Amino acid sequence: MAREKEITSVLNERRLFKPKKEFSKAAHLSSLEAYKRLYRKAEKDPEAFWAGLAKELSWFKPWKKVLEWKPPFAKWFVGGKINIAYNCLDRHLEGWRKNKAAIIWEGEPGDSRVLTYQDLHREVSKFANVLKGQGVVKGDRVAIYMPMIPELAIAMLACARIGATHSIIFGGFSATALRDRINDAEARLVVTADGGYRKGEVVTLKEKVDEALKETPGVQRVVVVRRTNTPVEMQADRDFWWHDLMKTASDQCSAEALDSEHPLFILYTSGTTGKPKGIVHTTAGYLLGTTVTARWIFDLKETDTYWCTADIGWVTGHSYVIYGILSNGVTTVMYEGAPTYPQPDRIWEIIDKYKVNILYTAPTAIRALIKMGEEWPKRHDLSSLRLLGTVGEPINPEAWMWYHQVIGKGRSPIVDTWWQTETGAIMITPLPGAIPTKPGSATLPFPGIAADVVNREGESVPANVGGYLVIKRPWPSMLRTVWKDPERYKKQYWSDIPGVYFTGDGARRDKDGYFWVMGRVDDVINVAGHRLGTMEIESALVSHSTVAEAAVVGRPDELKGTAISAFVTLELGNAPSDPLKEALRAHVVKEIGAIARPDDIRFTENLPKTRSGKIMRRLLRDIAAGRETIGDTTTLEDYTVLAKLRQEEE
Ligand code: WTA
């Protein structure tokens, strides 16, 4: 971990935007005072605070104990029985909501489907029976590798309904990445599709599943949705069409009464050491966290049409396309394809078409849309929007201002929400009717969340001093462990700084207590809002026959936020060339997926290393960004390496 230096901040943003009176009046939380009162109440007795909110969920059996905390292992609502699919579906069927749109879906080619709560309940119950019919029982893992189509939502909710733990693998991942994740989770069934649409092209999925399944001994069944009509091979006794199985499935399937701590899902995220970590979330606490945050932060109203542009393959899609939104009985928009296809105004067109009220997206998407020019949003009526949100990386104040003025017309508050796969739900965020915003700051912690910025010893640092972002107490939606690796959970999150959860991010608080998140302090690169482990990309490069060694770093990029720069040392007998660069890029795409494609590759004879042999990525970051090396270089093994790298640059 790069901890040689204090983290310094260069951002000095002074603009302040107070919530508009009309917005505040109608909001769940309508003043800074109200927020502070609630925050204080939660601080006084966190367990009572969360328990009070948990009462609003539908329980099969009440809990006996709110929290059992054996650091760093937490159990919430111990002894309770609950089902998240029941909370997202069944309980809305009792009143008029049964015929309300649960999912409004738009396919990339322009097709569209609407599923009411009743429709979704029926499809989920049927698919739950399909899973049972294929031998899936409570506690089994099901891998889901799908495009953004309603069947993805149906599949995950069906798993939750019967207590199968889902592991959703983003559809952009390669067969190799899929294979590793399937094997780590020991999934016995895979749900996929023939393909999905992305930028007018078909992205094949079943084909990659076939490739992955050559080396996944545990998988017995594959269920395939027909989406693109792409020819696929169906292996007898293993592969079945979704529509065939659904034809005969009963729509009666009661939701299992699951233990509060029953594992709901595993979601893989990159770590510093390379091997992806299976982040485990359980049922009741996760449901509580996502439900309450969604309601207060997006200020959800019964009549809202809400759209989060994230893919369900990432945690944002889990928590804020599906679970936290449906549990509130709100209408969620789901879109299959690229936000700029077939034209750069697709996102604005969809907002206009469905009269979207709340838009939740990523800074990287905002930057891409800014680049397209203002004429695109101007072609559409965006007046339905009343609230905007961002997530995934720090948003630079310029992009924030554009979002505020061009999209929000200066009216809509922006909620810049900080959280992680590990936290399950949003942790630091404005509450839009209550907390004044500053462009680039995620503002204040959600009530009940004990966030702080500390030094290595775990002591709070003074205002405007950079430090490590930590959470000082367990919270209901926190990860419970790393799948099959509790030691790694302990070491990764609870060891570096004594007694607290370390987020891995650097941050500072200003004199108003506002948090300014500065990004990861370690080597994980955040590209286009997604966390990629440098080690994974390096390993992919090194697996190519010509490559001896590789180091990957992030470099600032106007559009993507961060671009991937790879430094590659070739094995003797191989000469650097442009075709080889192309081959290496293609190789990484094959190994990991297109999101990991290096933006630039530089060949070098040597990499800068410490005396103990560790690659000094910090120095490479400077070179990649074209900066002078200002940091400490005393541990550098061979100074001439740096000089050579810079020469090769010219
Ligand atoms: C970064 C995504 C600044 C941060 C939900 C975090 C942010 C990592 C913000 C988690 C934000 C996310 N401001 N940085 N509003 N939101 N991050 O697991 O570095 O994909 O640790 O979860 O993204 O990424 P993950």
Side-chain angles (χ1 to χ4, degrees):
M1 218 172 281
R3 288 203 180 168
E4 297 91 347
K5 292 241 156 232
E6 278 277 285
I7 305 168
T8 47
S9 167
V10 288
L11 199 67
N12 188 12
E13 174 60 53
R14 298 192 181 282
R15 288 169 284 201
L16 183 81
F17 295 85
K18 293 203 171 124
K20 296 256 186 292
K21 277 209 182 66
E22 320 80 75
F23 190 99
S24 291
K25 248 197 279 169
H28 287 289
L29 270 133
S30 29
S31 69
L32 191 55
E33 260 323 296
Y35 159 78
K36 284 184 178 162
R37 262 199 311 275
L38 199 62
Y39 192 84
R40 279 197 299 266
K41 182 181 153 194
E43 285 309 285
K44 234 168 127 190
D45 191 347
E47 290 181 33
F49 170 76
W50 291 117
L53 293 166
K55 284 194 187 114
E56 293 169 32
L57 304 172
S58 296
W59 294 83
F60 295 129
K61 193 174 149 211
W63 63 89
K64 290 205 177 74
K65 196 163 185 243
V66 179
L67 171 65
E68 192 186 295
W69 178 227
K70 293 185 182 148
F73 296 96
K75 288 183 179 166
W76 284 89
F77 307 107
V78 182
K81 297 272 188 204
I82 194 163
N83 187 291
I84 192 164
Y86 184 94
N87 275 270
C88 288
L89 300 169
D90 304 52
R91 64 172 173 155
H92 305 313
L93 301 187
E94 285 153 24
W96 66 272
R97 266 188 199 155
K98 68 175 189 283
N99 288 322
K100 175 177 177 172
I103 294 178
I104 296 178
W105 173 81
E106 168 123 336
E108 196 188 74
D111 45 343
S112 164
R113 279 163 70 187
V114 177
L115 283 94
T116 64
Y117 273 94
Q118 200 162 224
D119 293 335
L120 188 57
H121 177 265
R122 187 178 54 246
E123 296 304 305
V124 167
S125 300
K126 282 168 73 175
F127 195 65
N129 281 325
V130 166
L131 290 174
K132 283 184 183 174
Q134 298 303 317
V136 176
V137 297
K138 182 169 123 182
D140 281 349
R141 270 81 55 208
V142 170
I144 301 180
Y145 182 62
M146 289 173 87
M148 280 285 282
I149 55 178
E151 285 79 2
L152 168 50
I154 293 165
M156 66 198 284
L157 287 159
C159 288
R161 194 164 189 84
I162 64 171
T165 301
H166 60 69
S167 166
I168 304 181
I169 297 115
F170 173 58
F173 275 121
S174 67
T176 319
L178 176 64
R179 177 200 65 195
D180 293 347
R181 284 157 177 77
I182 288 175
N183 283 336
D184 187 72
E186 296 169 286
R188 62 181 300 182
L189 185 142
V190 180
V191 189
T192 188
D194 48 0
Y197 294 103
R198 187 83 194 172
K199 294 194 178 140
E201 310 270 323
V202 170
V203 179
T204 59
L205 293 168
K206 174 62 165 63
E207 198 179 78
K208 298 194 185 91
V209 170
D210 290 342
E211 167 107 38
L213 259 54
K214 286 182 189 154
E215 291 169 292
T216 57
V219 175
Q220 294 154 5
R221 290 282 189 280
V222 182
V223 181
V224 189
V225 177
R226 183 174 280 151
R227 167 65 185 142
T228 53
N229 286 311
T230 310
V232 295
E233 269 173 44
M234 298 293 278
Q235 188 176 309
D237 302 329
R238 189 195 71 181
D239 304 348
F240 298 89
W241 286 109
W242 172 289
H243 55 262
D244 285 340
L245 298 172
M246 288 291 268
K247 240 184 267 168
T248 51
S250 155
D251 61 3
Q252 299 298 312
C253 178
S254 55
E256 280 283 323
L258 299 170
D259 200 88
S260 292
E261 284 297 330
H262 188 74
L264 172 66
F265 67 83
I266 304 170
L267 183 56
Y268 287 86
T269 182
S270 297
T272 44
T273 54
K275 188 171 169 277
K277 299 187 288 277
I279 302 300
V280 177
H281 281 287
T282 58
T283 303
Y286 174 81
L287 170 63
L288 177 65
T290 53
T291 305
V292 177
T293 51
R295 188 184 311 153
W296 291 351
I297 297 162
F298 301 124
D299 193 42
L300 295 177
K301 301 282 158 53
E302 191 68 77
T303 49
D304 277 330
T305 301
Y306 162 97
W307 182 22
C308 166
T309 63
D311 192 287
I312 291 176
W314 308 108
V315 75
T316 307
H318 283 60
S319 299
Y320 300 109
V321 176
I322 301 299
Y323 290 121
I325 307 304
L326 296 180
S327 65
N328 277 292
V330 164
T331 301
T332 190
V333 174
M334 209 176 142
Y335 170 58
E336 177 183 31
T340 49
Y341 182 85
Q343 292 204 115
D345 62 345
R346 186 62 182 275
I347 185 167
W348 317 122
E349 185 188 279
I350 293 174
I351 289 167
D352 192 356
K353 180 173 175 188
Y354 298 112
K355 305 294 172 227
V356 170
N357 305 108
I358 300 161
L359 175 69
Y360 190 34
T361 192
T364 178
I366 296 170
R367 283 192 297 267
L369 292 160
I370 293 173
K371 206 175 168 199
M372 306 284 177
E374 281 184 28
E375 70 269 24
W376 296 103
K378 280 192 176 140
R379 289 186 187 188
H380 299 278
D381 178 8
L382 303 181
S383 61
S384 58
L385 287 174
R386 65 178 193 87
L387 180 64
L388 305 171
T390 73
V391 59
E393 51 186 328
I395 180 165
N396 39 311
E398 285 355 291
W400 195 101
M401 288 306 298
W402 183 89
Y403 201 28
H404 179 66
Q405 283 162 351
V406 179
I407 306 308
K409 311 280 187 256
R411 269 185 299 112
S412 310
I414 294 179
V415 287
D416 170 358
T417 62
W418 179 89
W419 59 296
Q420 310 177 295
T421 304
E422 293 87 344
T423 68
I426 297 168
M427 304 288 277
I428 303 176
T429 176
L431 292 168
I435 298 178
T437 50
K438 303 180 187 184
S441 169
T443 75
L444 299 168
F446 193 81
I449 302 301
D452 199 3
V453 180
V454 302
N455 61 20
R456 238 179 283 186
E457 286 67 48
E459 301 150 350
S460 303
V461 297
N464 288 319
V465 174
Y468 305 108
L469 179 59
V470 299
I471 313 294
K472 296 187 146 173
R473 245 205 329 260
W475 63 101
S477 67
M478 66 191 271
L479 79 163
R480 296 304 193 260
T481 189
V482 171
W483 180 251
K484 291 197 300 196
D485 202 349
E487 279 310 310
R488 190 164 178 205
Y489 164 73
K490 270 195 212 166
K491 193 167 171 294
Q492 182 84 36
Y493 302 105
W494 297 90
S495 304
D496 285 323
I497 300 170
V500 297
Y501 168 85
F502 176 40
T503 63
D505 281 352
R508 80 182 155 96
R509 298 185 85 168
D510 66 18
K511 62 179 187 357
D512 299 324
Y514 278 42
F515 285 80
W516 298 79
V517 177
M518 287 143 50
R520 314 289 301 163
V521 298
D522 54 29
D523 285 324
V524 172
I525 318 181
N526 193 330
V527 182
H530 304 312
R531 278 160 72 184
L532 297 174
T534 54
M535 256 301 291
E536 272 191 289
I537 308 173
E538 288 162 7
S539 305
L541 283 164
V542 172
S543 75
H544 192 272
S545 59
T546 61
V547 176
E549 194 170 34
V552 166
V553 296
R555 124 179 109 64
D557 180 85
E558 211 191 327
L559 191 62
K560 297 167 80 177
T562 308
I564 301 175
S565 248
F567 293 81
V568 171
T569 307
L570 292 175
E571 290 197 6
L572 285 177
N574 294 284
S577 71
D578 285 341
L580 182 55
K581 279 187 189 174
E582 270 323 301
L584 292 179
R585 280 202 187 94
H587 183 69
V588 172
V589 172
K590 182 176 150 280
E591 291 295 309
I592 303 175
I595 43 165
R597 184 201 317 271
D599 293 277
D600 31 67
I601 292 183
R602 297 154 210 240
F603 294 109
T604 172
E605 274 175 43
N606 288 296
L607 291 166
K609 289 183 189 167
T610 63
R611 281 153 224 261
S612 64
K614 287 200 191 71
I615 297 171
M616 294 182 80
R617 293 189 186 74
R618 179 163 55 81
L619 305 183
L620 293 174
R621 273 196 289 272
D622 288 341
I623 291 168
R627 285 190 297 258
E628 275 304 316
T629 301
I630 8 177
D632 179 18
T633 52
T634 48
T635 50
L636 185 63
E637 184 199 33
D638 177 3
Y639 285 94
T640 59
V641 172
L642 270 192
K644 278 201 197 131
L645 273 166
R646 290 204 187 278
Q647 267 168 20
E648 275 154 14
E649 205 21 50
E650 282 144 20

